[in-house]
Amino acid sequence: MPHVPYRMCHVCRRKFPKRELERYVCRRDDKGGKEEFWKDPEQTLPGRGFYLCAREQCRNAKRAFRGRQKKCRGKI
Ligand SMILES: [Zn+2]
């Protein structure tokens, strides 16, 4: 059986296969502006990342999460 990497949803703290999660990273844009959350569909961007599962309540909790990472606000 192939190894499946698991990651934890940052909101509900359940574990899911990585490919079922959406990854977001906190990084600056190319102009060196403010740090913001970027969606990372390839799950390869460097930087501090976190994962969210597909459940609606977790996706909706993104706003609450934003407050926790004070340096990194902006678009999710
Ligand atoms: Zn979740």
Side-chain angles (χ1 to χ4, degrees), residues 9-14 16 52-55 58:
C9 170
H10 203 87
V11 176
C12 65
R13 305 257 161 196
R14 295 184 202 199
F16 298 90
L52 292 175
C53 74
R55 297 198 315 171
C58 291

Side-chain angles (χ1 to χ4, degrees), residues 30-49:
D30 293 336
K31 296 166 199 137
K34 272 192 305 188
E35 285 191 311
E36 291 184 326
F37 286 119
W38 293 58
K39 198 171 166 181
D40 180 14
E42 305 296 321
Q43 304 191 340
T44 52
L45 289 173
R48 282 173 295 158

Side-chain angles (χ1 to χ4, degrees), residues 60-72:
N60 289 342
K62 282 184 289 195
R63 209 175 299 157
F65 177 77
R66 204 185 297 173
R68 260 186 255 171
Q69 296 242 339
K70 294 212 172 84
K71 274 191 189 167
C72 198

Side-chain angles (χ1 to χ4, degrees), residues 1 16 27 75:
M1 214 167 107
F16 298 90
R27 64 193 296 263
K75 56 189 170 196

